[in-house]
Amino acid sequence: MSTQSTTPAGLDQTAAKLKEEVRDFLANHDHTKMDRLEFLRARYDAGLAWVNFPEGLGGKGLDRSLQGIVADEFAASGAPDNKPSLNVIGLGMAAPTLLKYATPQQLKDRLRPMWTGEEIWCQLFSEPGAGSDLAGLATSAVQQPGGDWVINGQKVWTSLAHEANWAILVTRSDPSAVKHRGMTYFFVRMDTPGVDVRPLRQITGEAEFNEVFLDDVHIPDEQRLGEVGAGWAVAQTTLMNERVAIGGRSMPREGGAIGPLAHRWRNHPESRDPALHDTVLNYWVQAEALRLTSVRLGQQLAAGQPGPEGSGVKLAYSTLAQETYGLELEVLGEAALRYDDYSMGRPNMEDRGGRGPGFRFLRSKANSIEGGTSEIMRNIISERVLGLPPEYRVDKDLPWKDLAR
Ligand SMILES: Cc1cc2nc3c(=O)[nH]c(=O)nc-3n(C[C@H](O)[C@H](O)[C@H](O)COP(=O)(O)OP(=O)(O)OC[C@H]3O[C@@H](n4cnc5c(N)ncnc54)[C@H](O)[C@@H]3O)c2cc1C
């Protein structure tokens, strides 16, 4: 792995060298003549995928803050990207979890096709009786005499399960242990016999997520991440990265919910209402403050693992998105009553740009639920950031099998 100086001068030097490397790469790989996938694979092999990952795994072991330089250089050249929103769970959640817990061979096999988008990932965590209280989950994993595992249960709200090749999966392996201790974490191929994916339709009309039934699904022990019974610790890595992936994306000014509202406000003076002026301005300022906070969170991440601060950004992002899209409808007036398309699409999250304001408003309802509800984010902030007394948990010390369900 490369060594680097983390002093500002050292980082500047590394940044200049990195920029040079990207330019050399682009000079030797003409994306206008190359197959898109071959180009992406070559970029990964050159360590220019995620520069903070180790050498040989798409990176250079550099400071995460330098990723922006690579991204900017590639974007400026017009080269194809790996469509990050298509594989948001793979790149945002599965990759950091695998990096921490998978074997060298698993990393070698899984990370490249994940980064290039050849393999899409989904997250089999939530269950009908275990969402906020994930540690209450019931999907069972029973180890067989040969070491392999047999999984049975039902997962729900599984985004992208209909596109996914692989899934990260949390199970109950020891019902007699207390609920946080008896869990084991795996990754599993979605085409394994016994995995059944069924669409669930949302308020938007789309079915972007699914319920997934697991019926005698056999998983080799090599696809376990972390120790048997230590799945909760592994899941924490995933969940902290999830909040950052949802709330901590760096985006350009007016790149989020405020964008369409600001556009409408500027270009349609006839829809302006003096009473709304202060509110629009207020949301614009909040959006900008949140954007800059996300940038700071990204810089904090460069210095270590994601912390509970991600919950603050996730909470603020979802609240502001809902309010802003609501205001957009208000500004639109009667035109807001039209809905563009209520057919049951099966989107892959790649491009939502074309959808109308009604869709944006309805989809934002999920923001305060997906990736952990706003109430849970508030609990995390109060307990882990502000140090307030923890919520009273009556079932903490009871064996999972004895809990009321
Ligand atoms: C669009 C979307 C995509 C999703 N994608 C995935 C996915 O890909 N994979 C996956 O595994 N899951 C996914 N989820 C599931 C999501 O993580 C859960 O819905 C979420 O964690 C909430 O769990 P729940 O629905 O069981 O609600 P519950 O936990 O039953 O909560 C119901 C209500 O009670 C509140 N509540 C619960 N406990 C507390 C508490 N201790 N203190 C205060 N209030 C509390 C909640 O905040 C909520 O308002 C997705 C959800 C959505 C909406």
Side-chain angles (χ1 to χ4, degrees), residues 89 122-133 156-160 202 208-209 242 363 366 369-376 379 391:
I89 292 170
C122 68
Q123 176 174 320
L124 294 169
F125 279 24
S126 302
E127 298 184 7
S132 300
D133 184 17
V156 76
W157 316 131
T158 317
S159 309
L160 291 167
Q202 290 157 254
E208 87 187 53
F209 54 38
E242 176 171 38
R363 180 59 183 78
I369 306 172
E370 59 194 332
T373 66
S374 290
E375 290 78 13
I376 296 298
N379 281 354
E391 192 178 3

Side-chain angles (χ1 to χ4, degrees), residues 112-123:
R112 189 167 94 152
M114 178 196 286
W115 187 82
T116 58
E118 288 162 83
E119 289 180 355
I120 305 291
W121 286 65
C122 68
Q123 176 174 320

